[in-house]
Amino acid sequence: MTLGLINPNPVVHAKKERVARTVSEPYHHHHHHNPDDDAVAAVDPLDVYDHVRDIRDPEHPYSLEQLSVLSEESITVDDKLARILITFTPTMQHCSMVTVIGLCLRVKLKNCFPPHYKVDIKVSPGSHANEESVNKQLNDKERIAAALENPSLHQLVDECLYSSEL
């Protein structure tokens, strides 16, 4: 399913240099989650960003980081309340892919962080023509579940999530 490009020439930014994490940092056991570690396992915005920066934009062969849809600064984490808030900036005011990007972020984080984390996703203020309804859609559990049951949408999400590994 190829959609006509709505924004044929997005501005592409360089990827930021990655910070190698040393083992002494609090959340070094991403992949071996042990409930006893929760006391020390603080999640910070960079942890979240490292998981989502390489998600591919649904319309372009670039990552969300390269298109400046996301940045480390656009993520806030309240570790005590186990809440993650991601504010992203669509490449255009009328971006039809915002809900797909939201789904990608949500699916990715669900796979990366313990299930008690609550993830809120919204578009940055003024970045989308239908900001309010988009923000509702992005956080509506039923809409999200329904969207992921749609095979072509689910496939698109998977392509965005795993394109860097293909």
Side-chain angles (χ1 to χ4, degrees):
M1 168 176 106
T2 336
L3 300 159
L5 285 183
I6 298 170
N7 180 10
N9 298 308
V11 181
V12 178
H13 304 265
K15 292 185 176 188
K16 269 181 97 179
E17 194 179 334
R18 301 191 182 223
V19 182
R21 293 277 171 133
T22 56
V23 173
S24 61
E25 292 189 48
Y27 204 79
H28 57 268
H29 43 253
H30 280 296
H31 301 294
H32 310 287
H33 185 257
N34 176 350
D36 305 336
D37 293 342
D38 276 348
V40 290
V43 172
D44 66 26
L46 186 59
D47 287 316
V48 178
Y49 187 51
D50 275 339
H51 284 299
V52 297
R53 64 201 298 176
D54 291 321
I55 293 174
R56 202 193 72 210
D57 183 86
E59 288 194 295
H60 304 291
Y62 300 110
S63 70
L64 297 183
E65 175 183 32
Q66 287 173 299
L67 296 173
S68 280
V69 170
L70 280 179
S71 69
E72 193 189 328
E73 294 71 38
S74 61
I75 297 168
T76 41
V77 175
D78 186 325
D79 204 55
K80 289 187 183 64
L81 294 176
R83 290 183 79 119
I84 296 171
L85 169 65
I86 297 188
T87 306
F88 71 92
T89 306
T91 51
M92 305 185 55
Q93 284 263 319
H94 292 276
C95 177
S96 57
M97 288 290 157
V98 281
T99 48
V100 178
I101 293 172
L103 280 174
C104 291
L105 293 170
R106 197 168 284 289
V107 170
K108 181 76 177 181
L109 293 178
K110 198 176 77 182
N111 297 336
C112 295
F113 291 103
H116 65 275
Y117 271 87
K118 178 172 185 338
V119 176
D120 290 304
I121 298 174
K122 59 180 196 180
V123 292
S124 52
S127 67
H128 197 277
N130 309 321
E131 190 180 323
E132 234 174 278
S133 69
V134 163
N135 284 341
K136 272 203 192 84
Q137 281 181 37
L138 290 172
N139 296 292
D140 180 330
K141 281 200 173 76
E142 288 171 15
R143 305 266 309 244
I144 295 161
L148 289 173
E149 282 169 17
N150 171 331
S152 56
L153 196 54
H154 203 171
Q155 188 188 346
L156 182 58
V157 167
D158 282 348
E159 284 171 16
C160 295
L161 290 183
Y162 304 114
S163 66
S164 58
E165 296 161 28
L166 296 177

